[in-house]
Amino acid sequence: MQYVDTWRTVAAATGRADRGAAEDGVRLAYRRAGLAEPERIIWVESPRAAVEAVEKLADAGRSVREEVRTRPWAEERRRIYDELGPAGWSALWSATGAQLWETTAALAERIRTGVVAGLAARPEEESGVRLVLLDAVLGQHDAAWLAAFDGRGDRLAGLAEVARNAGWWWPYEHAVVISERPATLHRDEAGRLDRGDGPALAYPDGFALYAWRGMPVPAEFLDTLGSLTPERIRGEENAELRRVMLEYYGYDRYLTESGAEPVHRDETGILWRIAMEGDEDVVMVEVVNSTPEPDGTCRTYWLRVPPRTRTAKEAVAWTFGLDGEVYAPVRQT
């Protein structure tokens, strides 16, 4: 669908908002909902700052998220569903919103979690922060369902205009709080937050999330990755952080420098096992690509396999989705 790539770009957009265009979108969304335009539009630098601003709002009135976002979305979905039928709606969603949903929804949830962690100093304060977050319209991170509705009418034009030009926003009767978009966003090929030398997601005011291949990590943890040693990796008590260290350091390098011994070898490769205290063993199979590189050398690969693997042949077979007993390649390429 032609709209998917456009909305994928919107969902990942960074840099300063187009405040004028976003404010026009807010006013249009209010008019389309049958509401008077908000008297005040307040800009902040991040979703965290937005929650703080909302908590301090005076005379803003009640939340109108239901009228501005929830109800129009539901009515448009029903209209298109009735027009296309169950199979047609499923096909439309598969070709549009489903392409963006998983990664965008996961990112939004990570932001929520980060806001709660940053503002709730005590567990009893979490519910209040979460209640404010429930009032948010996700702007650019509503890209999945906006992609599905794009080109099918202008009922949601105001919401789409805000999404194209700003981050999350909070609509109330008399006031709106709008957040800037992230200043930086780093993700891996699977769409997960990922960066080894700084914040994976950062807003202009310093609100940031740190992650390695999707897993949240402390900011100070990243500073230690450049000086890792096998001893430091083995000494890490947190199993998840130790796994990150291994990935960053490289399994092959760890095997070489830690003096590990292979547990099995045959004509298919070499099986290695790294015992991890408090976690499952890391089991790798070392294989050599039989197709030479342009320079005539053959590359060596280390592939991670399930901990239950006992032989190199079984490990290689697993990488092809086969049992070891039936894996018998005629020729290698």
Side-chain angles (χ1 to χ4, degrees):
M1 283 294 220
Q2 60 178 315
Y3 303 110
V4 174
D5 287 341
T6 298
W7 284 103
R8 181 178 286 112
T9 299
V10 168
T14 57
R16 285 290 175 179
D18 183 332
R19 294 191 174 191
E23 291 178 10
D24 288 343
V26 167
R27 296 185 182 99
L28 178 57
Y30 270 64
R31 293 197 301 271
R32 290 283 169 84
L35 299 171
E37 295 180 6
E39 301 161 12
R40 292 175 289 156
I41 296 180
I42 303 159
W43 282 88
V44 294
E45 300 286 89
S46 71
R48 182 181 64 186
V51 171
E52 292 178 304
V54 166
E55 291 176 333
K56 298 174 183 176
L57 279 179
D59 303 321
R62 64 180 179 83
S63 170
V64 293
R65 184 181 188 277
E66 173 73 21
E67 294 94 321
V68 170
R69 194 271 198 188
T70 306
R71 190 179 303 157
W73 177 89
E75 291 173 354
E76 282 299 281
R77 182 185 183 281
R78 171 53 62 185
R79 180 182 68 81
I80 297 172
Y81 184 92
D82 291 344
E83 176 186 316
L84 300 178
W89 166 258
S90 179
L92 173 64
W93 176 253
S94 295
T96 56
Q99 306 287 320
L100 310 176
W101 176 259
E102 185 174 347
T103 55
T104 306
L107 178 58
E109 185 55 35
R110 287 293 305 280
I111 293 171
R112 291 190 191 95
T113 301
V115 171
V116 172
L119 295 180
R122 298 184 297 274
E124 59 269 23
E125 297 174 349
E126 291 187 9
S127 60
V129 176
R130 293 186 186 280
L131 284 173
V132 176
L133 288 168
L134 288 176
D135 288 340
V137 180
L138 300 189
Q140 67 182 121
H141 298 142
D142 271 333
W145 60 267
L146 288 170
F149 297 144
D150 205 348
R152 295 183 170 274
D154 59 2
R155 174 77 185 280
L156 305 177
L159 293 173
E161 187 68 6
V162 182
R164 291 188 188 99
N165 294 287
W168 296 15
W169 56 291
W170 280 254
Y172 296 91
E173 283 182 290
H174 309 301
V176 168
V177 175
I178 310 182
S179 169
E180 286 282 351
R181 295 180 295 204
T184 59
L185 173 65
H186 299 266
R187 296 190 287 189
D188 64 11
E189 64 281 355
R192 303 171 300 183
L193 290 178
D194 178 44
R195 190 180 179 189
D197 59 354
L201 177 77
Y203 282 84
D205 64 354
F207 171 58
L209 302 176
Y210 295 80
W212 172 262
R213 296 184 182 176
M215 196 189 94
V217 297
E220 58 275 11
F221 171 77
L222 297 178
D223 296 335
T224 69
L225 294 181
S227 58
L228 286 176
T229 63
E231 293 74 22
R232 170 75 179 86
I233 295 171
R234 286 193 295 270
E236 173 57 54
E237 296 180 356
N238 184 301
E240 290 186 333
L241 294 182
R242 189 167 60 229
R243 197 173 303 127
V244 171
M245 290 175 170
L246 270 171
E247 290 183 357
Y248 186 92
Y249 196 72
Y251 293 107
D252 53 341
R253 182 183 174 192
Y254 181 87
L255 289 169
T256 300
E257 297 185 6
S258 64
E261 295 289 336
V263 295
H264 183 265
R265 68 174 71 220
D266 57 29
E267 71 282 1
T268 65
I270 304 173
L271 191 70
W272 301 84
R273 181 179 298 273
I274 305 172
M276 292 284 113
E277 184 177 350
D279 195 7
E280 64 181 19
D281 290 354
V282 173
V283 179
M284 311 285 294
V285 63
E286 177 185 346
V287 296
V288 177
N289 187 357
S290 59
T291 302
E293 298 295 310
D295 63 1
T297 62
C298 293
R299 291 187 63 184
T300 299
Y301 294 91
W302 282 265
L303 309 173
R304 189 168 181 180
V305 296
R308 65 177 182 277
T309 308
R310 293 292 177 265
T311 69
K313 182 179 179 180
E314 181 186 350
V316 174
W318 180 86
T319 68
F320 289 100
L322 300 172
D323 291 330
E325 293 78 9
V326 299
Y327 177 67
V330 176
R331 59 190 290 264
Q332 291 184 319
T333 60

